[in-house]
Every structure is written in structure tokens, then in C-alpha cells.
Amino acid sequence: MPTSIVTGGAGFLGSHLTDKLLSEGHQVIGIDNLLTGNTRNIEHLAGNPNYRYIKQDVTEYLYIPGEIDFIFHFASPASPIDYLELPIQTLKVGSLGTHKTLGLAKAKKAKFLLASTSECYGDPLVHPQKEDYWGNVNPIGPRGVYDEAKRFAEAMTMAYHRTHGVDTHIVRIFNTYGPRMRLRDGRVVPAFVSQALKGQPLTVFGDGGQTRSFCYVSDLIEGIYRLSQADFHEPVNIGNPNEMTIKQFAEQIIKITGSASTIDYRPLPVDDPKQRQPDITRAKSLLNWEPKVGLEEGLTKTIDYFRGCLDQE
Ligand code: UDP
């Protein structure tokens, strides 16, 4: 039975990845300091003999006895509002946290997978984004704390691979949505869905002409799991190429929720990328992977989840 560590294990993606690993027969140790994670995301694992949770900040020295086969480094604030509020923690977990987890992988001879991001491409001048595009990032802007931390994390991961021979993997994650996102993390999916369910205006930033491409969480996790099994060390984009403007996305959410909400235009945040769409050619050929869940199906499941969260308030 392989043993895997998932940092950020009580987060949105970390908890879904944990479920997938458990279903594939792994033992899982989840590490999370609950800065943006929540134990509600792992409460269904209470009493599972194959799961253990450790509350720790992964920027501190990690002491984990026993054999470890795989480390998935998913700890980080990940929404623009979170990393604006937590700039230093975001930089530390991407840099010091990646160093600590790579050090653990080296010591345990474990495989390693870094959760990187489409933010490595910044406000991209190449469209759609292929893995060999180096990006257009403002290092000193408000998003720089996340973008540069993740770019450093990629550099550190490749250095441990090349220098120490650690078997590493890097996934560049594009916009993903689904149950267990935080209702108030400020990202567009929870924001629009909760506004639509409450009948409040949807806050579209700028003129809503900026684009994103949204991937349902189960598709993303399947792609990441396949990448973890592959003999490939360079970054791989995982995301859904179904690109739309934020205004179209707002209209879609109003339609699916059957809400009477209107749209309220607000100022565009600094350095908000104008367009984003993953080129998934590499994932298709390497992993035989492509997303399967359509937007309407994924949004319906996500809306049900947020409806439950709002009912509990
Ligand atoms: N956005 C919006 N209204 C909101 C929240 C976000 O119009 O209430 C926009 C945001 O400006 C960006 C897109 O939606 O263009 C996606 O934002 P998100 O924070 O989800 O993630 P990003 O893709 O920017 O990292």
C-alpha cells in the first residue's frame, strides 16, 4: 500500500486529491495549517484507518516517521483575495514550503508533485498558453506574491530533479471549480453563485470581457493523478480549454440558478489577466487525458453544494 502526503490536504483541491488517492488504495497523510483550508473538507475521513491529518505549517521543519512514497505539494493560498491578504505567507509556502517538502521527498526517496498554476503565465501575450511559454508576470504587482512564489517553486522542483535526481512532476492548474470551494474566497465561481442564489447583483469586474476557461474538479484531479504516474518531469497544463468571457459566465450562472439577479460592473483588479486558456495538447498525448464534465453539469453540482452552505448559515 503506497503512502502519500498531501500538503494543503484540508483545502479544496487537496481534499479531493486525498479522496482520489484513498480510492486508489493509498494511505494518506494530510498536512494543513488551516490558514485557508478547513477541516470540514476532510471530516468525512474521520475514522478512516488509511487517513491521518497533521496540523502543521509546511514552511517549518517536517518530521514524518516511516516510509513515504509520494508527496503532493498543494499547500498555498490560491485565490487573489487570499494572497492579497496573506502576501508573505503565500511567498513563504511557495518558497520555503516547497524547499521543505522537496527535502522530505529527497530524504524519503519519495516521488513529488508540485501544484503549480496558470498564473506562471501572468497576463499572457501568447494564447492559448502552451507549457513552453515563459509568461508575462509583474513581479512587484499584487499578484506577484503568488505568481513568483509558484515560479520559484517550479525552479526549485526542477533543481531537486536535476541535482538530486528526485522524481518530480509539475502540474500547471488552470481555473478549477466544484464543491468544497470556500463560499467567501473571492473567486469568481463562489462569488457569482452565492450572489445569484441570494438574488444579489453579480459583481463583474471590468467590462467582463476578460476570459477564463473553467475545469470541473473531478476532471482536474484525474489529470493530476495520471500525471503523478507518468515518467515526465516538465510542467503539464491541466484545465478545460472551454474559454468564455466573465460576462458570459455571469449570464450562464444566472440562467442555471434561475436567478433574477442583474449584473453590477466593478473596477478591474490590478494585473487581472485579460485572457486565459490552456493548451492541453501535452496532457492529451502524454496522459491520454481530457476533461469530460461539461460546464452546465459541473455548475449544477457546484450550485447544489453552495446552496447547502448558504442553508447552514
Ligand atoms: N471576477 C469578477 N467578479 C468577482 C470575482 C472575480 O468579475 O466577483 C473576475 C476576475 O476579475 C477575473 C475572473 O473573474 O477576471 C476570475 O477571477 P478569480 O478570482 O476566480 O481567479 P483568477 O482567474 O483571476 O485567478
Side-chain angles (χ1 to χ4, degrees), residues 76-88 90 119 142-147 276:
S76 179
S79 92
I81 285 191
D82 286 339
Y83 46 80
L84 273 180
E85 283 174 1
L86 304 164
I88 295 171
T90 302
E119 284 286 326
R143 300 173 86 104
V145 295
Y146 184 64
D147 302 8
R276 185 181 287 158

Side-chain angles (χ1 to χ4, degrees), residues 89-109:
Q89 291 93 331
T90 302
L91 281 160
K92 282 178 72 181
V93 75
S95 54
L96 306 180
T98 304
H99 184 220
K100 288 282 182 294
T101 48
L102 278 165
L104 186 64
K106 176 173 161 249
K108 299 282 186 184
K109 297 190 171 36

Side-chain angles (χ1 to χ4, degrees), residues 10-297:
F12 165 47
L13 296 182
S15 66
H16 283 287
L17 176 63
T18 298
D19 290 343
K20 170 72 177 169
L21 294 171
L22 289 168
S23 78
E24 295 288 340
H26 291 227
Q27 286 197 314
V28 180
I29 301 171
I31 306 180
D32 203 302
N33 66 350
L34 304 181
L35 193 62
T36 58
N38 195 309
T39 51
R40 264 200 306 273
N41 293 334
I42 49 171
E43 68 189 5
H44 61 287
L45 302 176
N48 184 328
N50 294 325
Y51 183 73
R52 188 152 65 93
Y53 164 65
I54 299 172
K55 185 169 186 293
Q56 200 196 313
D57 178 346
V58 294
T59 67
E60 308 283 344
Y61 183 82
L62 293 163
Y63 173 73
I64 310 281
E67 283 183 21
I68 302 294
D69 301 288
F70 223 115
I71 298 174
F72 294 85
H73 183 33
F74 275 64
S76 179
S79 92
I81 285 191
D82 286 339
Y83 46 80
L84 273 180
E85 283 174 1
L86 304 164
I88 295 171
Q89 291 93 331
T90 302
L91 281 160
K92 282 178 72 181
V93 75
S95 54
L96 306 180
T98 304
H99 184 220
K100 288 282 182 294
T101 48
L102 278 165
L104 186 64
K106 176 173 161 249
K108 299 282 186 184
K109 297 190 171 36
K111 296 182 184 186
F112 183 87
L113 186 143
L114 172 70
S116 186
T117 170
S118 55
E119 284 286 326
C120 286
Y121 303 120
D123 189 2
L125 305 176
V126 167
H127 193 72
Q129 292 77 54
K130 266 177 140 63
E131 289 88 346
D132 59 8
Y133 175 49
W134 293 351
N136 178 40
V137 170
N138 174 5
I140 58 163
R143 300 173 86 104
V145 295
Y146 184 64
D147 302 8
E148 297 295 7
K150 289 291 189 182
R151 287 164 68 98
F152 174 92
E154 288 198 4
M156 185 64 111
T157 301
M158 290 310 294
Y160 265 68
H161 172 64
R162 294 187 180 120
T163 309
H164 295 308
V166 178
D167 187 352
T168 60
H169 309 265
I170 298 172
V171 57
R172 290 197 182 134
I173 298 171
F174 282 66
N175 292 69
T176 303
Y177 68 99
R180 302 187 194 157
M181 290 186 98
R182 258 166 50 235
L183 195 59
R184 285 183 194 78
D185 81 353
R187 278 189 280 197
V188 70
V189 175
F192 284 180
V193 172
S194 57
Q195 288 159 350
L197 291 176
K198 290 180 190 162
Q200 296 170 347
L202 272 60
T203 52
V204 168
F205 298 161
D207 63 3
Q210 70 273 34
T211 67
R212 293 294 186 273
S213 313
F214 295 96
C215 186
Y216 188 65
V217 62
S218 59
D219 280 335
L220 183 97
I221 296 297
E222 179 62 32
I224 289 173
Y225 182 74
R226 288 189 195 189
L227 176 61
S228 74
Q229 307 296 305
D231 184 17
F232 192 78
H233 307 290
E234 294 196 2
V236 178
N237 291 337
I238 301 281
N240 192 320
N242 177 23
E243 183 183 6
M244 70 198 72
T245 68
I246 291 301
K247 183 164 179 279
Q248 287 169 332
F249 189 58
E251 288 162 353
Q252 181 84 356
I253 289 187
I254 290 174
K255 188 178 127 218
I256 300 179
T257 50
S259 167
S261 290
T262 52
I263 290 180
D264 189 10
Y265 292 92
R266 301 274 177 90
L268 191 66
V270 177
D271 294 338
D272 198 288
K274 285 182 267 313
Q275 52 182 2
R276 185 181 287 158
Q277 186 202 129
D279 182 317
I280 58 166
T281 309
R282 186 175 275 179
K284 274 185 181 164
S285 61
L286 183 73
L287 312 173
N288 191 23
W289 173 88
E290 62 184 323
K292 292 196 165 57
V293 181
L295 187 66
E296 189 150 345
E297 182 189 348

